[in-house]
Amino acid sequence: MPQRDSTRRVTLDDVAKRAGVHKATVSRALDPATAGLISDETVRRVREAASELGYVPNIVARGLRKNASMTIGVVIPDLTNPFFPPIVRGIEDHLQPRGYTALIANTDGDDAAEAAQFTTLLGRRVDGLIVATGRHGDQPVLERAHEAGVRAVMLNRDAGSLPYPLVTGDDATGVTAAVEHLHELGHRDVVHIAGPLDLSTSIVRADAFRTAVAARDGMRGSVVEASALTVSAGRESMEAVLADEAPTAIVASNDLIALGVLRALRAHGLECPGDVSVVGFNDMPFAEDVQPPLTTVHVPTTEMGAEAARMLLAQLDGEQQDHARIVLPVSLVVRDSTGPAPR
C-alpha cells in the first residue's frame, strides 16, 4: 500500500476512496445528525476508513455550512462544588462526538458575574446554553437571551415563566425517602438544613421535607436555612440548631452541608449516628469515604448533563420543547451515618 504524505491533511475524498463510496456518503456517515440516513454497514466502513487514515473533521467548515459556531455555553455556579464536574462530563460526553465544544462559565453564584458570563458567551455566538446556576424565578439575563432567540436548557433549576425546558432530579421523592428512612428508624424530632432559599432546588427540598414530616404520625420537623451550600455554612447552621434544640436526625440539603453537620457534632462531643443521624443529598464522590460513610440521596448527575445536552441539540435541530420537563429518578443510599433513634 503506498505511503500517505503525513504533511497533507486527509480529506473527505481520501476517506471516500478508501471506503469505496461517494464523498457525500462520507459526509453523511461522519455526521451523527445524518448517519441514520444510510446503512449501518456503510457507516461502519466509512468510520473505519476515517480512523485508519487519521481523518479529522473540519468543524469550522461544518459550522459554516450550518451557520453555527459548533459551541455550547454551560453556565454553572461553582465548579469547585463536587456536584458539577460529573454534570459537565455528561454534557461533554454527549456534545463531543457530535462535533460540539462546551464553553464552561463559572458564576460563583454572583448576579453580576452571571450577567457578565452570559454577555461573553452570547458575544462568542454560542449555538445554545445549558444553565445550571440554580436561581429561582425569572432572571433578567435569561429574559434577554430568550428575547434574542437563544436556545437553552435549564439544568437542576427552572426558568420561571420562560418556556425553556428543564432537566432535573426527582428531589421531592429523594427527600421523602430520607424522611421515611428516618421514621422507620424511630426518629421523631428531625431538622432539615436547607440551602439558600433563593435556589429552586432548596425550595423544592424544603417543601418536600415539610410535607413528608407532616404525613408521618408523631414526627416533628423544622427547617433551618444555611447561608450557602458549603461545609462551613453547614457547620454554622448545625451550631445554631444545637444551641436551640436537640433533634435526633438531620436531613441536609446537600452532602457538603452534611459534612459541616458532622464537624459540628464532633466539636460538641456527639456521635453520628449514636446521638444524631445525618442524611445528605446528591451522593457526591466522597460520600462513602467520610467517617461515618454518609447516607445520602443519589442523583444521576452525569445522566442529567447528557440529557440536557441531548435536549439542546434537539432544539437546534428544530424540535419544539417549550416548558418540557425531564425528571430523572433518584435513590436513597443507606450507609453508616443513620441508625436507630437514641432512647
Side-chain angles (χ1 to χ4, degrees):
M1 181 180 297
Q3 295 294 313
R4 181 176 60 83
D5 181 0
S6 61
T7 64
R8 185 175 70 84
R9 181 184 180 92
V10 178
T11 67
L12 285 175
D13 287 326
D14 297 324
V15 179
K17 185 176 180 180
R18 172 68 68 90
V21 298
H22 191 274
K23 176 180 174 180
T25 302
V26 173
S27 182
R28 292 190 187 96
L30 297 180
D31 187 341
T34 56
L37 300 176
I38 55 182
S39 71
D40 292 344
E41 171 58 25
T42 300
V43 171
R44 182 195 62 77
R45 193 164 73 250
V46 169
R47 291 180 178 177
E48 282 185 357
S51 177
E52 291 167 0
L53 292 173
Y55 174 73
V56 178
N58 189 334
I59 300 301
V60 173
R62 183 186 297 176
L64 289 173
R65 289 196 302 272
K66 294 184 174 182
N67 191 28
S69 68
M70 305 305 290
T71 57
I72 300 297
V74 180
V75 186
I76 59 176
D78 183 6
L79 191 56
T80 65
N81 184 327
F83 178 71
F84 291 104
I87 286 178
V88 172
R89 181 58 183 267
I91 292 170
E92 291 185 329
D93 284 350
H94 189 84
L95 293 180
Q96 288 175 353
R98 292 157 179 82
Y100 286 85
T101 298
L103 300 181
I104 312 301
N106 188 77
T107 70
D108 290 323
D110 179 77
D111 288 343
E114 181 176 319
Q117 293 285 25
F118 267 89
T119 299
T120 298
L121 290 172
L122 296 180
R124 290 179 177 271
R125 300 184 64 82
V126 295
D127 297 322
L129 295 169
I130 296 174
V131 183
T133 51
R135 296 289 182 186
H136 178 63
D138 295 338
Q139 293 292 307
V141 288
L142 279 177
E143 292 172 1
R144 290 200 299 272
H146 185 259
E147 289 170 0
V150 177
R151 307 294 176 84
V153 172
M154 310 308 295
L155 182 55
N156 207 40
R157 62 161 287 184
D158 61 39
S161 63
L162 298 176
Y164 286 135
L166 168 69
V167 179
T168 187
D170 192 351
D171 288 353
T173 295
V175 170
T176 301
V179 172
E180 176 63 24
H181 171 62
L182 294 172
H183 187 265
E184 290 174 351
L185 290 171
H187 294 276
R188 296 297 180 265
D189 292 294
V190 184
V191 169
H192 175 54
I193 299 183
L197 293 175
D198 62 345
L199 303 179
S200 58
T201 51
S202 298
I203 295 170
V204 169
R205 293 173 191 179
D207 288 346
F209 173 82
R210 295 186 182 98
T211 300
V213 168
R216 283 156 181 84
D217 291 340
M219 207 171 195
R220 297 169 295 278
S222 59
V223 175
V224 173
E225 181 182 5
S227 60
L229 293 166
T230 62
V231 176
S232 58
R235 178 169 182 171
E236 180 182 340
S237 296
M238 189 60 192
E239 294 281 357
V241 168
L242 293 172
D244 186 56
E245 53 187 311
T248 65
I250 299 291
V251 176
S253 192
N254 78 345
D255 292 340
L256 295 177
I257 288 177
L259 286 189
V261 170
L262 293 176
R263 289 185 182 181
L265 292 176
R266 286 194 293 270
H268 284 261
L270 297 171
E271 294 184 355
C272 174
D275 297 307
V276 181
S277 288
V278 178
V279 181
F281 206 106
N282 289 333
D283 196 20
M284 293 176 180
F286 59 77
E288 63 180 336
D289 296 322
V290 301
Q291 290 300 319
L294 187 63
T295 294
T296 184
V297 176
H298 176 77
V299 177
T301 47
T302 303
E303 292 84 348
M304 285 170 60
E307 183 63 22
R310 185 200 66 76
M311 291 184 75
L312 182 57
L313 296 191
Q315 281 190 67
L316 297 180
D317 285 339
E319 183 177 313
Q320 290 297 315
Q321 297 178 339
D322 287 1
H323 294 295
R325 184 182 182 91
I326 302 295
V327 180
L328 297 180
V330 303
S331 57
L332 182 69
V333 181
V334 177
R335 300 192 179 103
D336 296 343
S337 67
T338 52
R343 293 185 180 276

